[in-house]
Amino acid sequence: MATPLLSVRDLVVEFPTRRGTLRALDHVSFDIAEGEVLGMVGESGAGKSLTGAAIIGLLEPPGRIAGGEIWLRGERIDNLPPEKMRRVRGRRIGMVFQDPLTSLNPLYTVAQQLIETIRTHVDVSEKEARKRAVGLLDRVGIPAAARRIDDYPHHFSGGMRQRVVIALALAAEPELVIADEPTTALDVSVQAQIIDVLKEICAERGASVMLITHDMGVIAETADRVAVLYAGRMAEIGPVRDVIQAAEHPYTVGLMGSIPTLTQTADRLTQIPGAMPRLNAIPQGCAFNPRCKEVFNRCLVERPELIARGGKRHVACWLYEPMKEAFDV
Amino acid sequence: MSDVLLSVEGLTRRFDVSKPFLNRVFEREERQFLTAAADVDFEIRKGETFALVGESGSGKSTIAKMIVGLLEPSEGEIRFDGKVMDFASGAAMRALRRRFQMIFQDPFASLNPRWRVGDIIAEPIRTFGLMRGAAIGREVGRLLDLVGLSASDAEKFPHEFSGGQRQRIAIARALSSRPEFIVCDEPTSALDVSVQAQILNLMRDLQDEFGLTYLLISHDLSVVRHMSNRIGVLYLGRLVEVAEAKKLFLDPQHPYTRMLLDAVPDLALSGRRRVPVEGEIPNPINPPPGCAFHPRCPHVMDVCRRTIPDPRETDSGTAACHLLTGQPVKAAV
């Protein structure tokens, strides 16, 4: 297989505090292939956004990468000096954040922001950059783009603003787009439009996408593979269809059961008892063991690694330990 | 019908969003009004869950606030248990207020951070003078037990709890005045899915146990589908369709309902190609004339641009659309 576009190996992110070091990401590993859409799900505090922030080198201090490696197309990027990292960010990795109002500068017109971004990363004239900017806005579905480009962000509605942000993220033709809850602030009818635009335009340009969201529905319709995070650890990763229709990790099973759907007829939702542990109280062994229905002794003492389950799927759960090793214990 | 607990007729609320007087004089502008709810009619029967869905700006929360008496309607009336709510009379409102309660969206904002949980839950009991002395403490313990917390949690402060646990506290507070009717304004939108499931299950159990009636307000169609018996769909302050929950999802009558259902991401991976939704909700200050949905409607006709459609009867409820041919609900004037 060709080298993956992005490869994250044993990523550890820590927050040193007065009362000890909190480990927010604990040995997280995954790859994103060329042109692939990887969904990243989990509850709040599971470390989804942190993974995105670590990749683009925008961890809020005191958070820091305490271990592991991040490779972008064979080049290691987690230890680049800030100046070099800045060139990777925007040029090679584009970003779309949750709230479009905070990712746009209210004091500059959309044209100024787009042209600045394009000219920072690509060596073109002002005129050429403007032409590209109009083309981009047109592509993300902003009507009368040539005229509206000179408007300020507040002239646009929420959905239109998020389109502008997508245009901005794609301005330098990045290889990877990290979209962190791109539709959470939007209404359902607009949400679908934005997801479609993001998916189409990335497919068109061959950009890979890391889609961070808590909305399984969005993942189901958009992603090729999905990674499930729990308490800073990878619980399960695999093709969307497998994970959604036949989840294997007890946490994913519970998560899927707890989502009400438009077609189900069950009277009660399956619920996972309790809540995700705080970072300073992650239990020994498997982090999910206090809430797990299938918990057994080994879960309480030993942390499960991702176990290959065939067909590109990996699950971090002792239930799926290959037989011969289970007998050794 | 005798089993109707709450009925709302012609409910309208306008907000004055005009610029200050001098600006209006100099800029030669008219006064501007935002109609957050226009001519809304519905009934909620005892023991059922009625849901209002709609996108932001559709008037869901405005209607909820009028029903619990936090906002006065500009026009129309609300009948609770047969009696018209009289906003002018403080005493009448106070007597009614014990019988309905509200659960809010954000459990971080709806609980006073300086009060102990026990005091938060006991406040409605004390305010309405339902109990005295040690009985209050016992009642608080019982309520905490009921919502899945422990009686000893009464001594703690809200910050010691997670989002889901706080929403449980809010539910315990809502139950403490022994209401018959609870308005739930986006009760789970601030919570994670696994916690959301816990809260929704709890709400259902309590409904079965105490025969509560819910008005559920949500933008999440899957939650609404799971929880409610009947659903009202709002668009720009107007009720476009009311139907039994199951039928609404199988056979939506109004084009807006259809569009909304289509837009929900599909977890079943059926691979259906959704019809792309055009446009966004227009500005409610200057809504389009005629049917407010006509600029986005795939079936728009000439008449839609001129007249506001009246609700008509459908198989499962009512819907307001010129395409429909059922009997008008109101006799033609």
Side-chain angles (χ1 to χ4, degrees):
Chain A
M1 218 177 87
T3 38
L5 174 68
L6 180 84
S7 176
V8 174
R9 290 280 146 254
D10 287 317
L11 183 65
V12 179
V13 170
E14 289 182 338
F15 286 82
T17 68
R18 268 176 301 164
R19 272 178 258 155
T21 304
L22 298 177
R23 189 165 275 198
L25 279 186
D26 197 353
H27 295 279
V28 169
S29 303
F30 61 92
D31 291 336
I32 301 180
E34 206 82 46
E36 185 185 39
V37 179
L38 177 77
M40 183 73 73
V41 291
E43 298 175 66
S44 2
K48 315 182 284 294
S49 299
L50 218 53
T51 312
I55 292 170
I56 53 179
L58 284 181
L59 279 176
E60 295 261 336
R64 59 187 167 85
I65 296 180
E69 295 169 4
I70 302 168
W71 297 76
L72 181 67
R73 201 167 266 160
E75 185 193 346
R76 193 165 168 189
I77 57 168
D78 58 294
N79 54 2
L80 286 182
E83 193 48 41
K84 282 218 173 108
M85 190 61 211
R86 234 180 62 184
R87 244 168 278 153
V88 171
R89 207 185 296 136
R91 176 75 189 90
R92 301 187 60 191
I93 308 180
M95 291 154 288
V96 178
F97 292 109
Q98 172 170 350
D99 185 358
L101 204 49
T102 51
S103 25
L104 294 172
N105 189 331
L107 299 178
Y108 291 94
T109 63
V110 166
Q112 287 168 320
Q113 299 185 51
L114 273 168
I115 291 167
E116 186 197 346
T117 310
I118 294 174
R119 294 198 69 196
T120 311
H121 298 295
V122 193
D123 186 23
V124 287
S125 68
E126 172 100 22
K127 214 173 147 199
E128 170 64 20
R130 191 180 163 91
K131 219 173 91 193
R132 282 195 191 194
V134 172
L136 268 170
L137 287 184
D138 199 43
R139 182 61 200 86
V140 295
I142 288 180
R147 187 163 50 81
R148 300 228 50 194
I149 193 168
D150 289 310
D151 283 351
Y152 287 90
H154 73 262
H155 289 126
F156 292 87
S157 67
M160 287 297 158
R161 257 180 233 142
Q162 198 62 299
R163 289 174 198 259
V164 173
V165 174
I166 292 176
L168 211 48
L170 287 153
E173 313 223 321
E175 298 144 70
L176 172 70
V177 173
I178 298 181
D180 191 352
E181 306 268 8
T183 57
T184 309
L186 307 173
D187 280 313
V188 262
S189 69
V190 181
Q191 192 175 324
Q193 301 168 352
I194 296 296
I195 287 289
D196 282 352
V197 163
L198 186 66
K199 201 179 164 179
E200 275 171 32
I201 193 167
C202 288
E204 223 174 80
R205 286 159 202 244
S208 304
V209 181
M210 179 171 147
L211 178 65
I212 301 170
T213 176
H214 65 275
D215 189 335
M216 269 292 189
V218 169
I219 296 272
E221 291 214 334
T222 318
D224 301 311
R225 283 192 308 143
V226 56
V228 183
L229 285 179
Y230 183 79
R233 303 171 185 189
M234 188 76 81
E236 182 162 359
I237 181 166
V240 161
R241 191 168 282 270
D242 295 356
V243 173
I244 287 184
Q245 287 178 342
E248 292 196 325
H249 195 286
Y251 172 65
T252 324
V253 174
L255 192 67
M256 295 311 304
S258 65
I259 304 171
T261 64
L262 289 180
T263 42
Q264 56 137 32
T265 41
D267 234 23
R268 282 180 72 83
L269 299 167
T270 343
Q271 61 181 54
I272 313 175
M276 201 167 66
R278 294 188 182 186
L279 287 181
N280 56 9
I282 291 179
Q284 204 196 340
C286 173
F288 187 59
N289 73 49
R291 302 172 76 189
C292 185
K293 274 190 287 197
E294 323 244 8
V295 62
F296 54 101
N297 285 342
R298 193 172 183 183
C299 310
L300 302 177
V301 285
E302 213 181 327
R303 178 183 162 185
E305 292 301 324
L306 281 173
I307 297 164
R309 295 282 300 149
K312 285 203 263 175
R313 177 192 252 210
H314 297 264
V315 181
C317 177
W318 289 125
L319 285 175
Y320 302 100
E321 179 78 345
M323 274 316 221
K324 63 173 177 46
E325 287 176 48
F327 280 118
D328 291 343
V329 179
Chain B
M1 262 194 305
S2 62
D3 62 347
V4 172
L5 183 70
L6 182 102
S7 69
V8 161
E9 231 186 276
L11 197 65
T12 302
R13 171 76 205 198
R14 277 181 293 270
F15 291 102
D16 188 345
V17 289
S18 318
K19 289 182 177 166
F21 172 71
L22 271 180
N23 289 57
R24 285 209 308 276
V25 172
F26 289 130
E27 292 163 22
R28 296 171 192 251
E29 280 188 18
E30 302 275 305
R31 289 186 83 99
Q32 283 195 315
F33 292 95
L34 184 154
T35 310
D39 207 10
V40 174
D41 298 335
F42 60 84
E43 287 176 347
I44 305 178
R45 302 188 195 115
K46 274 195 183 117
E48 79 168 353
T49 302
F50 182 83
L52 285 177
V53 289
E55 300 177 76
S56 31
S58 59
K60 307 183 294 281
S61 295
T62 308
I63 293 173
K65 281 183 190 153
M66 287 193 279
I67 287 173
V68 293
L70 292 173
L71 259 184
E72 209 170 318
S74 309
E75 272 162 48
E77 59 181 32
I78 304 167
R79 281 168 180 274
F80 185 77
D81 209 8
K83 281 193 284 288
V84 176
M85 274 170 70
D86 180 4
F87 284 85
S89 153
M93 284 306 285
R94 215 170 302 123
L96 272 182
R97 275 212 182 103
R98 187 197 64 75
R99 302 176 59 192
F100 47 69
Q101 285 288 339
M102 191 156 178
I103 300 169
F104 296 93
Q105 172 171 1
D106 184 0
F108 292 83
S110 66
L111 303 176
N112 188 334
R114 291 165 181 272
W115 283 26
R116 285 180 200 278
V117 167
D119 293 319
I120 291 173
I121 297 173
E123 196 194 12
I125 305 179
R126 294 202 175 103
T127 311
F128 294 112
L130 302 177
M131 281 175 201
R132 276 168 202 293
I136 294 181
R138 279 199 299 278
E139 175 69 6
V140 168
R142 192 186 67 86
L143 286 164
L144 281 169
D145 243 17
L146 203 62
V147 296
L149 297 170
S150 82
S152 59
D153 288 332
E155 291 306 306
K156 296 185 185 164
F157 286 97
H159 74 258
E160 294 172 67
F161 295 89
S162 67
Q165 288 170 319
R166 285 186 207 211
Q167 205 58 301
R168 287 172 193 268
I169 295 169
I171 293 174
R173 173 178 62 184
L175 290 173
S176 67
S177 70
R178 311 206 165 192
E180 296 143 60
F181 176 61
I182 299 184
V183 176
C184 315
D185 189 357
E186 305 262 12
T188 58
S189 351
L191 307 176
D192 280 312
V193 272
S194 77
V195 181
Q196 163 172 301
Q198 295 170 6
I199 298 294
L200 294 180
N201 282 341
L202 174 67
M203 284 172 56
R204 280 210 147 184
D205 293 344
L206 294 171
Q207 181 168 38
D208 292 343
E209 202 173 334
F210 300 105
L212 296 168
T213 307
Y214 288 136
L215 169 61
L216 175 69
I217 290 183
S218 180
H219 68 275
D220 187 333
L221 284 161
S222 332
V223 167
V224 162
R225 156 89 164 81
H226 178 72
M227 292 293 290
S228 43
N229 306 95
R230 290 192 309 131
I231 297 174
V233 182
L234 284 166
Y235 188 74
L236 271 184
R238 279 175 194 278
L239 214 43
V240 295
E241 180 164 3
V242 181
E244 277 166 44
K246 292 206 176 80
K247 295 211 175 122
L248 183 85
F249 285 92
L250 288 176
D251 185 20
Q253 297 293 319
H254 197 283
Y256 175 64
T257 317
R258 220 167 295 148
M259 189 201 88
L260 207 57
L261 289 181
D262 248 10
V264 178
D266 189 4
L267 205 57
L269 291 166
S270 58
R272 86 194 145 113
R273 188 72 208 123
R274 57 153 82 98
V275 191
V277 176
E278 296 294 322
E280 300 179 21
I281 282 201
N283 187 343
I285 297 177
N286 289 307
C291 173
F293 185 58
H294 84 249
R296 299 170 81 187
C297 184
H299 311 290
V300 60
M301 305 175 290
D302 256 1
V303 59
C304 307
R305 300 197 177 90
R306 294 191 309 266
T307 27
I308 298 176
D310 283 324
R312 286 167 181 275
E313 275 174 22
T314 63
D315 290 344
S316 49
T318 63
C321 177
H322 288 300
L323 281 176
L324 299 169
T325 49
Q327 281 299 311
V329 175
K330 282 180 201 165
V333 184

